[in-house]
């Protein structure tokens, strides 16, 4: 695996086109900056997509308009940002988060297979979809393993977990930010009591660097969610 490439494996299947927020309209190059500002205020956002004849041109932002100090100018006369901030309609919602993070944008455009603009996804909607997914909602603990890339085998990890009477509901694999030769494997299990599972994994030399049981998650939801996001490196 090349450095910087994120591997993802999960039973959750939710593609970009399913997450489009149809309440967020695109602007046309002929619209002016004032219209853009009014729409942004109504939608409580600071950026909107711009399209022309179905082609995504990029995003106009509140900062760009304010910097020009002339809201009467048509959108075509402003600099647009985020021309590459898009995903194809079939891509997984993890990719939506990745693209939004790379471009530091609140939303991501969605294009069809032929490049036609389909709409935009607000990053908040994507996080909500993740939080509402079956794997997240079902009770269970979270384990984070650290291992060398060459030692990674989801099949072997699953075998050990299932031998203890549990199942893996979802898994995410990311390069360790401190050592790109290592992987962080985050597992959501269907059991809340996992001491026997961790003991089994440790017997087979798996290093556990994070352990979050259901009771702990419920006691401090926001802190645990933030920590999980850091482990997922999203």
């Amino acid at each position: 695996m090349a450095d910087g490439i994120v591997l993802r494996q999960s039973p959750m299947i939710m593609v970009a086109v399913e997450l489009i927020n149809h309440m967020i309209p695109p602007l046309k190059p002929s619209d002016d900056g004032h219209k853009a500002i009014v729409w942004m205020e109504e939608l409580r956002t600071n950026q909107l997509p711009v399209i022309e004849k179905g082609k995504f041109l990029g995003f106009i932002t509140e900062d760009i308009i304010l910097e020009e100090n002339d809201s009467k100018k048509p959108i075509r006369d402003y600099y647009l940002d985020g021309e590459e901030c898009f995903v194809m309609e079939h891509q997984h919602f993890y990719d939506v988060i990745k693209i939004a993070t790379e471009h530091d944008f609140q939303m991501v455009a969605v294009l069809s297979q032929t490049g036609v603009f389909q709409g935009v996804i607000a990053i908040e909607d994507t996080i909500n979809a993740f939080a509402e997914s079956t794997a997240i909602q079902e009770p269970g603990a979270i384990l984070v393993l650290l291992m060398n890339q060459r030692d990674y085998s989801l099949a072997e990890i699953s075998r050990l977990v299932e031998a203890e009477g549990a199942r893996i509901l979802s898994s995410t694999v990311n390069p360790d930010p401190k050592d790109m030769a290592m992987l962080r494997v985050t597992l959501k299990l269907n059991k809340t009591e996992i001491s026997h599972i961790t003991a089994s994994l440790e017997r087979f030399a798996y290093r556990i660097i994070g352990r979050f049981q259901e009771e702990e998650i419920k006691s401090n939801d926001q802190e645990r969610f933030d920590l999980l996001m850091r482990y997922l490196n999203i």
Side-chain angles (χ1 to χ4, degrees):
M1 185 187 71
D3 287 355
I5 294 178
V6 176
L7 306 177
R8 300 180 181 85
Q9 298 175 345
S10 171
M12 300 179 289
I13 301 175
M14 187 172 296
V15 294
V17 70
E18 299 173 348
L19 295 170
I20 291 175
N21 188 328
H22 296 286
M23 298 299 292
I24 301 176
L27 292 161
K28 302 186 297 294
S30 57
D31 292 327
D32 60 27
H34 175 72
K35 180 177 182 178
I37 291 292
V38 170
W39 281 13
M40 288 178 194
E41 290 176 350
E42 291 177 352
L43 296 168
R44 296 182 180 180
T45 184
N46 61 6
Q47 52 201 223
L48 286 171
V50 181
I51 68 168
E52 185 173 27
K53 297 180 180 179
K55 180 181 179 181
F56 173 63
L57 303 180
F59 290 93
I60 184 73
T61 70
E62 182 180 38
D63 288 343
I64 290 172
I65 297 171
L66 295 178
E67 286 174 6
E68 290 289 330
N69 198 29
D70 183 2
S71 63
K72 295 182 180 180
K73 291 172 54 176
I75 299 298
R76 67 169 59 91
D77 292 342
Y78 290 99
Y79 164 76
L80 298 183
D81 199 2
E83 295 92 339
E84 302 298 321
C85 189
F86 66 84
V87 294
M88 308 308 291
E89 59 187 350
H90 67 277
Q91 287 184 253
H92 194 277
F93 73 87
Y94 281 176
D95 294 318
V96 177
I97 297 175
K98 180 174 182 290
I99 292 295
T101 301
E102 288 177 352
H103 293 272
D104 194 22
F105 263 65
Q106 297 175 5
M107 58 184 66
V108 175
V110 180
L111 309 185
S112 72
Q113 292 294 94
T114 56
V116 177
F117 177 81
Q118 302 296 298
V120 295
I121 301 170
I123 192 65
E124 181 179 357
D125 295 336
T126 308
I127 295 296
N128 289 339
F130 178 76
E132 293 169 3
S133 65
T134 301
I136 297 300
Q137 290 297 316
E138 188 167 336
I142 295 170
L143 279 179
V144 184
L145 312 180
L146 182 67
M147 67 188 67
N148 195 292
Q149 290 188 24
R150 65 174 177 269
D151 297 329
Y152 171 70
S153 170
L154 184 59
E156 176 63 16
I157 296 170
S158 297
R159 184 185 68 79
L160 295 174
V161 170
E162 290 171 6
E164 298 297 331
R167 289 187 297 109
I168 297 175
L169 298 177
S170 69
S171 65
T172 305
V173 184
N174 299 100
D176 181 64
K178 298 178 181 178
D179 184 353
M180 297 303 289
M182 304 293 287
L183 295 178
R184 289 190 178 191
V185 182
T186 304
L187 307 173
K188 173 66 183 287
L189 308 179
N190 70 332
K191 301 288 186 180
T192 56
E193 170 49 50
I194 57 172
S195 57
H196 57 299
I197 298 172
T198 58
S200 178
L201 290 170
E202 287 172 341
R203 281 199 305 272
F204 285 85
Y206 284 100
R207 181 182 173 189
I208 299 171
I209 62 172
R211 185 181 315 184
F212 311 102
Q213 293 178 259
E214 184 72 13
E215 292 77 10
E216 294 177 338
I217 295 171
K218 288 180 178 178
S219 68
N220 198 337
D221 289 339
Q222 187 59 52
E223 179 183 348
R224 297 297 177 181
F225 181 76
D226 292 343
L227 188 54
L228 173 59
M229 290 300 98
R230 289 201 294 274
Y231 273 124
L232 293 177
N233 196 29
I234 292 177

